[in-house]
mmCIF file of all heavy atoms in Angstrom:
data_model
loop_
_atom_site.group_PDB
_atom_site.id
_atom_site.type_symbol
_atom_site.label_atom_id
_atom_site.label_comp_id
_atom_site.label_asym_id
_atom_site.label_seq_id
_atom_site.Cartn_x
_atom_site.Cartn_y
_atom_site.Cartn_z
ATOM 1 N N ASN I 2 109.456 78.596 128.638
ATOM 2 C CA ASN I 2 109.103 77.787 129.807
ATOM 3 C C ASN I 2 110.331 77.325 130.589
ATOM 4 O O ASN I 2 110.202 76.894 131.729
ATOM 5 C CB ASN I 2 108.298 76.562 129.373
ATOM 6 C CG ASN I 2 106.918 76.937 128.883
ATOM 7 O OD1 ASN I 2 106.268 77.832 129.423
ATOM 8 N ND2 ASN I 2 106.445 76.250 127.844
ATOM 9 N N GLY I 3 111.490 77.395 129.969
ATOM 10 C CA GLY I 3 112.734 77.076 130.659
ATOM 11 C C GLY I 3 113.206 75.649 130.445
ATOM 12 O O GLY I 3 112.402 74.721 130.362
ATOM 13 N N VAL I 4 114.520 75.498 130.346
ATOM 14 C CA VAL I 4 115.156 74.187 130.207
ATOM 15 C C VAL I 4 116.363 74.128 131.126
ATOM 16 O O VAL I 4 117.217 75.023 131.109
ATOM 17 C CB VAL I 4 115.607 73.924 128.749
ATOM 18 C CG1 VAL I 4 116.325 72.579 128.642
ATOM 19 C CG2 VAL I 4 114.422 73.980 127.793
ATOM 20 N N PHE I 5 116.438 73.091 131.956
ATOM 21 C CA PHE I 5 117.636 72.812 132.732
ATOM 22 C C PHE I 5 118.589 72.026 131.831
ATOM 23 O O PHE I 5 118.161 71.126 131.099
ATOM 24 C CB PHE I 5 117.307 71.980 133.974
ATOM 25 C CG PHE I 5 116.393 72.670 134.947
ATOM 26 C CD1 PHE I 5 115.031 72.387 134.961
ATOM 27 C CD2 PHE I 5 116.887 73.600 135.855
ATOM 28 C CE1 PHE I 5 114.179 73.020 135.857
ATOM 29 C CE2 PHE I 5 116.039 74.238 136.751
ATOM 30 C CZ PHE I 5 114.684 73.945 136.757
ATOM 31 N N HIS I 6 119.872 72.343 131.888
ATOM 32 C CA HIS I 6 120.802 71.594 131.045
ATOM 33 C C HIS I 6 122.228 71.690 131.574
ATOM 34 O O HIS I 6 122.558 72.595 132.356
ATOM 35 C CB HIS I 6 120.729 72.061 129.590
ATOM 36 C CG HIS I 6 121.052 73.510 129.372
ATOM 37 N ND1 HIS I 6 122.345 74.001 129.325
ATOM 38 C CD2 HIS I 6 120.241 74.574 129.167
ATOM 39 C CE1 HIS I 6 122.318 75.294 129.112
ATOM 40 N NE2 HIS I 6 121.052 75.682 129.014
ATOM 41 N N VAL I 7 123.058 70.759 131.125
ATOM 42 C CA VAL I 7 124.480 70.750 131.472
ATOM 43 C C VAL I 7 125.207 69.894 130.445
ATOM 44 O O VAL I 7 124.642 68.940 129.910
ATOM 45 C CB VAL I 7 124.710 70.206 132.906
ATOM 46 C CG1 VAL I 7 124.252 68.752 133.021
ATOM 47 C CG2 VAL I 7 126.172 70.322 133.314
ATOM 48 N N LYS I 8 126.445 70.251 130.167
ATOM 49 C CA LYS I 8 127.302 69.435 129.310
ATOM 50 C C LYS I 8 128.376 68.793 130.188
ATOM 51 O O LYS I 8 128.872 69.416 131.135
ATOM 52 C CB LYS I 8 127.937 70.285 128.214
ATOM 53 C CG LYS I 8 126.921 70.829 127.224
ATOM 54 C CD LYS I 8 127.577 71.659 126.127
ATOM 55 C CE LYS I 8 126.534 72.160 125.128
ATOM 56 N NZ LYS I 8 127.135 72.973 124.049
ATOM 57 N N LEU I 9 128.724 67.550 129.862
ATOM 58 C CA LEU I 9 129.722 66.814 130.630
ATOM 59 C C LEU I 9 130.816 66.347 129.687
ATOM 60 O O LEU I 9 130.547 65.664 128.693
ATOM 61 C CB LEU I 9 129.091 65.612 131.337
ATOM 62 C CG LEU I 9 130.026 64.837 132.267
ATOM 63 C CD1 LEU I 9 130.285 65.633 133.547
ATOM 64 C CD2 LEU I 9 129.441 63.469 132.619
ATOM 65 N N GLN I 10 132.057 66.708 129.998
ATOM 66 C CA GLN I 10 133.195 66.297 129.186
ATOM 67 C C GLN I 10 133.902 65.120 129.839
ATOM 68 O O GLN I 10 134.260 65.177 131.021
ATOM 69 C CB GLN I 10 134.163 67.472 129.007
ATOM 70 C CG GLN I 10 133.557 68.633 128.233
ATOM 71 C CD GLN I 10 134.520 69.768 128.014
ATOM 72 O OE1 GLN I 10 135.613 69.801 128.594
ATOM 73 N NE2 GLN I 10 134.138 70.741 127.192
ATOM 74 N N LEU I 11 134.085 64.062 129.047
ATOM 75 C CA LEU I 11 134.738 62.845 129.527
ATOM 76 C C LEU I 11 135.930 62.521 128.636
ATOM 77 O O LEU I 11 135.862 62.683 127.410
ATOM 78 C CB LEU I 11 133.763 61.657 129.512
ATOM 79 C CG LEU I 11 132.554 61.737 130.443
ATOM 80 C CD1 LEU I 11 131.626 60.557 130.182
ATOM 81 C CD2 LEU I 11 132.989 61.759 131.901
ATOM 82 N N ALA I 12 137.007 62.030 129.246
ATOM 83 C CA ALA I 12 138.176 61.608 128.489
ATOM 84 C C ALA I 12 137.830 60.378 127.666
ATOM 85 O O ALA I 12 136.834 59.692 127.924
ATOM 86 C CB ALA I 12 139.339 61.321 129.435
ATOM 87 N N ASN I 13 138.655 60.086 126.666
ATOM 88 C CA ASN I 13 138.370 58.995 125.736
ATOM 89 C C ASN I 13 138.034 57.683 126.431
ATOM 90 O O ASN I 13 137.018 57.063 126.165
ATOM 91 C CB ASN I 13 139.552 58.792 124.792
ATOM 92 C CG ASN I 13 139.555 59.809 123.660
ATOM 93 O OD1 ASN I 13 138.518 60.118 123.106
ATOM 94 N ND2 ASN I 13 140.726 60.328 123.331
ATOM 95 N N GLY I 14 138.867 57.230 127.342
ATOM 96 C CA GLY I 14 138.642 55.939 127.992
ATOM 97 C C GLY I 14 137.384 55.895 128.825
ATOM 98 O O GLY I 14 136.623 54.926 128.767
ATOM 99 N N SER I 15 137.109 56.953 129.578
ATOM 100 C CA SER I 15 135.964 56.948 130.487
ATOM 101 C C SER I 15 134.642 57.165 129.768
ATOM 102 O O SER I 15 133.575 56.940 130.342
ATOM 103 C CB SER I 15 136.143 58.013 131.573
ATOM 104 O OG SER I 15 136.247 59.301 131.004
ATOM 105 N N SER I 16 134.684 57.569 128.504
ATOM 106 C CA SER I 16 133.449 57.824 127.764
ATOM 107 C C SER I 16 132.980 56.620 126.954
ATOM 108 O O SER I 16 131.864 56.627 126.427
ATOM 109 C CB SER I 16 133.637 59.009 126.807
ATOM 110 O OG SER I 16 134.522 58.672 125.753
ATOM 111 N N ASP I 17 133.810 55.583 126.844
ATOM 112 C CA ASP I 17 133.525 54.472 125.927
ATOM 113 C C ASP I 17 132.200 53.778 126.232
ATOM 114 O O ASP I 17 131.366 53.578 125.339
ATOM 115 C CB ASP I 17 134.661 53.450 125.961
ATOM 116 C CG ASP I 17 135.943 53.992 125.335
ATOM 117 O OD1 ASP I 17 135.875 55.060 124.698
ATOM 118 O OD2 ASP I 17 137.004 53.350 125.497
ATOM 119 N N ASP I 18 131.994 53.370 127.474
ATOM 120 C CA ASP I 18 130.783 52.620 127.829
ATOM 121 C C ASP I 18 129.529 53.452 127.602
ATOM 122 O O ASP I 18 128.495 52.940 127.141
ATOM 123 C CB ASP I 18 130.848 52.155 129.286
ATOM 124 C CG ASP I 18 131.868 51.046 129.495
ATOM 125 O OD1 ASP I 18 132.302 50.443 128.491
ATOM 126 O OD2 ASP I 18 132.238 50.794 130.650
ATOM 127 N N LEU I 19 129.595 54.735 127.932
ATOM 128 C CA LEU I 19 128.436 55.612 127.767
ATOM 129 C C LEU I 19 128.098 55.781 126.291
ATOM 130 O O LEU I 19 126.928 55.692 125.897
ATOM 131 C CB LEU I 19 128.715 56.962 128.422
ATOM 132 C CG LEU I 19 127.589 57.992 128.391
ATOM 133 C CD1 LEU I 19 126.313 57.435 128.985
ATOM 134 C CD2 LEU I 19 128.012 59.270 129.124
ATOM 135 N N ARG I 20 129.089 56.004 125.466
ATOM 136 C CA ARG I 20 128.845 56.157 124.025
ATOM 137 C C ARG I 20 128.269 54.878 123.428
ATOM 138 O O ARG I 20 127.344 54.919 122.607
ATOM 139 C CB ARG I 20 130.141 56.531 123.305
ATOM 140 C CG ARG I 20 130.555 57.972 123.514
ATOM 141 C CD ARG I 20 131.685 58.371 122.593
ATOM 142 N NE ARG I 20 132.909 57.620 122.865
ATOM 143 C CZ ARG I 20 133.436 56.713 122.065
ATOM 144 N NH1 ARG I 20 132.840 56.427 120.914
ATOM 145 N NH2 ARG I 20 134.556 56.088 122.393
ATOM 146 N N LYS I 21 128.800 53.729 123.837
ATOM 147 C CA LYS I 21 128.307 52.455 123.308
ATOM 148 C C LYS I 21 126.849 52.224 123.704
ATOM 149 O O LYS I 21 126.052 51.735 122.895
ATOM 150 C CB LYS I 21 129.189 51.310 123.811
ATOM 151 C CG LYS I 21 130.582 51.292 123.194
ATOM 152 C CD LYS I 21 131.430 50.188 123.794
ATOM 153 C CE LYS I 21 132.850 50.202 123.218
ATOM 154 N NZ LYS I 21 133.698 49.161 123.865
ATOM 155 N N ALA I 22 126.502 52.566 124.945
ATOM 156 C CA ALA I 22 125.117 52.392 125.407
ATOM 157 C C ALA I 22 124.168 53.285 124.610
ATOM 158 O O ALA I 22 123.067 52.868 124.222
ATOM 159 C CB ALA I 22 125.015 52.701 126.899
ATOM 160 N N ILE I 23 124.578 54.519 124.349
ATOM 161 C CA ILE I 23 123.746 55.436 123.567
ATOM 162 C C ILE I 23 123.595 54.935 122.136
ATOM 163 O O ILE I 23 122.499 54.971 121.554
ATOM 164 C CB ILE I 23 124.355 56.857 123.583
ATOM 165 C CG1 ILE I 23 124.285 57.442 124.996
ATOM 166 C CG2 ILE I 23 123.615 57.777 122.594
ATOM 167 C CD1 ILE I 23 125.053 58.732 125.162
ATOM 168 N N MET I 24 124.670 54.430 121.558
ATOM 169 C CA MET I 24 124.612 53.930 120.178
ATOM 170 C C MET I 24 123.719 52.702 120.068
ATOM 171 O O MET I 24 123.029 52.519 119.051
ATOM 172 C CB MET I 24 126.020 53.618 119.671
ATOM 173 C CG MET I 24 126.873 54.852 119.403
ATOM 174 S SD MET I 24 126.087 56.050 118.283
ATOM 175 C CE MET I 24 125.839 55.034 116.817
ATOM 176 N N ARG I 25 123.693 51.868 121.097
ATOM 177 C CA ARG I 25 122.784 50.714 121.083
ATOM 178 C C ARG I 25 121.335 51.184 121.048
ATOM 179 O O ARG I 25 120.506 50.643 120.304
ATOM 180 C CB ARG I 25 123.037 49.820 122.310
ATOM 181 C CG ARG I 25 124.278 48.953 122.201
ATOM 182 C CD ARG I 25 124.272 47.847 123.247
ATOM 183 N NE ARG I 25 124.284 48.378 124.603
ATOM 184 C CZ ARG I 25 125.405 48.618 125.289
ATOM 185 N NH1 ARG I 25 126.584 48.387 124.742
ATOM 186 N NH2 ARG I 25 125.343 49.088 126.524
ATOM 187 N N GLU I 26 121.015 52.187 121.878
ATOM 188 C CA GLU I 26 119.662 52.748 121.878
ATOM 189 C C GLU I 26 119.332 53.332 120.501
ATOM 190 O O GLU I 26 118.225 53.147 119.978
ATOM 191 C CB GLU I 26 119.550 53.842 122.937
ATOM 192 C CG GLU I 26 119.625 53.355 124.377
ATOM 193 C CD GLU I 26 118.266 52.914 124.897
ATOM 194 O OE1 GLU I 26 117.286 52.910 124.123
ATOM 195 O OE2 GLU I 26 118.198 52.570 126.083
ATOM 196 N N HIS I 27 120.283 54.041 119.928
ATOM 197 C CA HIS I 27 120.055 54.701 118.640
ATOM 198 C C HIS I 27 119.836 53.680 117.520
ATOM 199 O O HIS I 27 118.919 53.833 116.694
ATOM 200 C CB HIS I 27 121.245 55.592 118.305
ATOM 201 C CG HIS I 27 121.105 56.312 116.995
ATOM 202 N ND1 HIS I 27 120.120 57.242 116.762
ATOM 203 C CD2 HIS I 27 121.825 56.222 115.840
ATOM 204 C CE1 HIS I 27 120.237 57.701 115.525
ATOM 205 N NE2 HIS I 27 121.264 57.093 114.943
ATOM 206 N N LYS I 28 120.651 52.637 117.476
ATOM 207 C CA LYS I 28 120.521 51.632 116.414
ATOM 208 C C LYS I 28 119.199 50.874 116.522
ATOM 209 O O LYS I 28 118.554 50.593 115.507
ATOM 210 C CB LYS I 28 121.707 50.666 116.478
ATOM 211 C CG LYS I 28 123.027 51.294 116.031
ATOM 212 C CD LYS I 28 124.185 50.318 116.171
ATOM 213 C CE LYS I 28 125.500 50.957 115.720
ATOM 214 N NZ LYS I 28 126.649 50.043 115.877
ATOM 215 N N ALA I 29 118.792 50.549 117.750
ATOM 216 C CA ALA I 29 117.508 49.869 117.939
ATOM 217 C C ALA I 29 116.352 50.767 117.524
ATOM 218 O O ALA I 29 115.380 50.324 116.893
ATOM 219 C CB ALA I 29 117.359 49.436 119.400
ATOM 220 N N ASN I 30 116.447 52.042 117.847
ATOM 221 C CA ASN I 30 115.421 53.006 117.475
ATOM 222 C C ASN I 30 115.349 53.167 115.959
ATOM 223 O O ASN I 30 114.258 53.217 115.369
ATOM 224 C CB ASN I 30 115.729 54.355 118.137
ATOM 225 C CG ASN I 30 114.642 55.379 117.937
ATOM 226 O OD1 ASN I 30 113.461 55.064 117.932
ATOM 227 N ND2 ASN I 30 115.048 56.630 117.768
ATOM 228 N N LYS I 31 116.502 53.240 115.313
ATOM 229 C CA LYS I 31 116.545 53.389 113.859
ATOM 230 C C LYS I 31 115.979 52.155 113.161
ATOM 231 O O LYS I 31 115.240 52.277 112.170
ATOM 232 C CB LYS I 31 117.984 53.638 113.409
ATOM 233 C CG LYS I 31 118.112 53.906 111.920
ATOM 234 C CD LYS I 31 119.551 54.221 111.546
ATOM 235 C CE LYS I 31 119.678 54.481 110.047
ATOM 236 N NZ LYS I 31 121.071 54.796 109.665
ATOM 237 N N LYS I 32 116.301 50.987 113.681
ATOM 238 C CA LYS I 32 115.781 49.740 113.102
ATOM 239 C C LYS I 32 114.255 49.719 113.148
ATOM 240 O O LYS I 32 113.583 49.340 112.176
ATOM 241 C CB LYS I 32 116.363 48.545 113.852
ATOM 242 C CG LYS I 32 115.951 47.201 113.286
ATOM 243 C CD LYS I 32 116.616 46.060 114.065
ATOM 244 C CE LYS I 32 116.199 44.709 113.500
ATOM 245 N NZ LYS I 32 116.855 43.590 114.248
ATOM 246 N N GLU I 33 113.700 50.151 114.291
ATOM 247 C CA GLU I 33 112.247 50.197 114.434
ATOM 248 C C GLU I 33 111.632 51.238 113.503
ATOM 249 O O GLU I 33 110.574 51.007 112.902
ATOM 250 C CB GLU I 33 111.880 50.498 115.884
ATOM 251 C CG GLU I 33 110.389 50.487 116.151
ATOM 252 C CD GLU I 33 110.051 50.728 117.609
ATOM 253 O OE1 GLU I 33 110.971 50.674 118.447
ATOM 254 O OE2 GLU I 33 108.872 50.977 117.904
ATOM 255 N N ALA I 34 112.302 52.375 113.349
ATOM 256 C CA ALA I 34 111.794 53.424 112.464
ATOM 257 C C ALA I 34 111.775 52.959 111.015
ATOM 258 O O ALA I 34 110.829 53.246 110.274
ATOM 259 C CB ALA I 34 112.662 54.675 112.605
ATOM 260 N N ILE I 35 112.803 52.230 110.601
ATOM 261 C CA ILE I 35 112.855 51.714 109.235
ATOM 262 C C ILE I 35 111.750 50.686 109.003
ATOM 263 O O ILE I 35 111.109 50.662 107.958
ATOM 264 C CB ILE I 35 114.244 51.107 108.955
ATOM 265 C CG1 ILE I 35 115.307 52.217 108.930
ATOM 266 C CG2 ILE I 35 114.246 50.340 107.641
ATOM 267 C CD1 ILE I 35 116.723 51.709 108.826
ATOM 268 N N ALA I 36 111.513 49.843 110.017
ATOM 269 C CA ALA I 36 110.459 48.830 109.892
ATOM 270 C C ALA I 36 109.085 49.477 109.741
ATOM 271 O O ALA I 36 108.219 48.970 109.012
ATOM 272 C CB ALA I 36 110.484 47.910 111.107
ATOM 273 N N ARG I 37 108.882 50.612 110.440
ATOM 274 C CA ARG I 37 107.594 51.310 110.353
ATOM 275 C C ARG I 37 107.460 52.137 109.084
ATOM 276 O O ARG I 37 106.343 52.452 108.665
ATOM 277 C CB ARG I 37 107.417 52.215 111.574
ATOM 278 C CG ARG I 37 107.238 51.482 112.887
ATOM 279 C CD ARG I 37 107.012 52.476 114.007
ATOM 280 N NE ARG I 37 106.768 51.821 115.291
ATOM 281 C CZ ARG I 37 106.501 52.468 116.416
ATOM 282 N NH1 ARG I 37 106.438 53.805 116.405
ATOM 283 N NH2 ARG I 37 106.297 51.813 117.535
ATOM 284 N N ASN I 38 108.601 52.503 108.489
ATOM 285 C CA ASN I 38 108.588 53.369 107.305
ATOM 286 C C ASN I 38 109.517 52.776 106.240
ATOM 287 O O ASN I 38 110.582 53.346 105.943
ATOM 288 C CB ASN I 38 109.047 54.777 107.677
ATOM 289 C CG ASN I 38 108.195 55.410 108.756
ATOM 290 O OD1 ASN I 38 107.218 56.080 108.475
ATOM 291 N ND2 ASN I 38 108.569 55.176 110.013
ATOM 292 N N PRO I 39 109.154 51.629 105.667
ATOM 293 C CA PRO I 39 110.045 50.937 104.731
ATOM 294 C C PRO I 39 110.352 51.729 103.463
ATOM 295 O O PRO I 39 111.372 51.474 102.814
ATOM 296 C CB PRO I 39 109.273 49.651 104.403
ATOM 297 C CG PRO I 39 107.844 49.965 104.706
ATOM 298 C CD PRO I 39 107.887 50.920 105.856
ATOM 299 N N LYS I 40 109.507 52.697 103.092
ATOM 300 C CA LYS I 40 109.725 53.470 101.882
ATOM 301 C C LYS I 40 110.679 54.648 102.104
ATOM 302 O O LYS I 40 111.146 55.256 101.138
ATOM 303 C CB LYS I 40 108.394 53.987 101.345
ATOM 304 C CG LYS I 40 107.453 52.875 100.868
ATOM 305 C CD LYS I 40 106.186 53.456 100.287
ATOM 306 C CE LYS I 40 105.248 52.355 99.801
ATOM 307 N NZ LYS I 40 104.001 52.919 99.218
ATOM 308 N N ARG I 41 110.937 54.968 103.365
ATOM 309 C CA ARG I 41 111.837 56.090 103.646
ATOM 310 C C ARG I 41 113.284 55.645 103.492
ATOM 311 O O ARG I 41 113.713 54.657 104.084
ATOM 312 C CB ARG I 41 111.580 56.621 105.051
ATOM 313 C CG ARG I 41 112.402 57.865 105.394
ATOM 314 C CD ARG I 41 111.813 58.591 106.576
ATOM 315 N NE ARG I 41 110.521 59.202 106.215
ATOM 316 C CZ ARG I 41 109.738 59.829 107.080
ATOM 317 N NH1 ARG I 41 110.086 59.921 108.342
ATOM 318 N NH2 ARG I 41 108.600 60.342 106.693
ATOM 319 N N THR I 42 114.047 56.371 102.702
ATOM 320 C CA THR I 42 115.415 55.946 102.376
ATOM 321 C C THR I 42 116.477 56.588 103.257
ATOM 322 O O THR I 42 117.605 56.096 103.337
ATOM 323 C CB THR I 42 115.732 56.270 100.911
ATOM 324 O OG1 THR I 42 115.562 57.682 100.680
ATOM 325 C CG2 THR I 42 114.803 55.494 99.985
ATOM 326 N N SER I 43 116.141 57.694 103.910
ATOM 327 C CA SER I 43 117.152 58.366 104.726
ATOM 328 C C SER I 43 116.505 59.093 105.899
ATOM 329 O O SER I 43 115.312 59.418 105.869
ATOM 330 C CB SER I 43 117.965 59.357 103.886
ATOM 331 O OG SER I 43 117.128 60.394 103.408
#
């Protein structure tokens, strides 16, 4: 069906805010997943 995509390379300093924002989303998502599945260990 097709996928549009692109990769973007950023230098260390200019990538910091973007990486931190993504990690915040990921940690919140993981916390919710653990709460819904308390028996899952990994």
Side-chain angles (χ1 to χ4, degrees):
N2 290 322
V4 177
F5 297 99
H6 60 80
V7 63
K8 294 181 178 180
L9 185 73
Q10 296 182 350
L11 296 174
N13 280 319
S15 60
S16 69
D17 291 349
D18 289 344
L19 182 55
R20 285 190 296 111
K21 290 177 182 177
I23 293 171
M24 289 306 301
R25 283 195 298 269
E26 292 274 4
H27 180 64
K28 289 177 180 179
N30 186 36
K31 184 177 180 180
K32 183 178 180 179
E33 183 177 348
I35 292 173
R37 292 182 177 182
N38 302 269
K40 294 183 180 180
R41 184 162 291 175
T42 58
S43 64

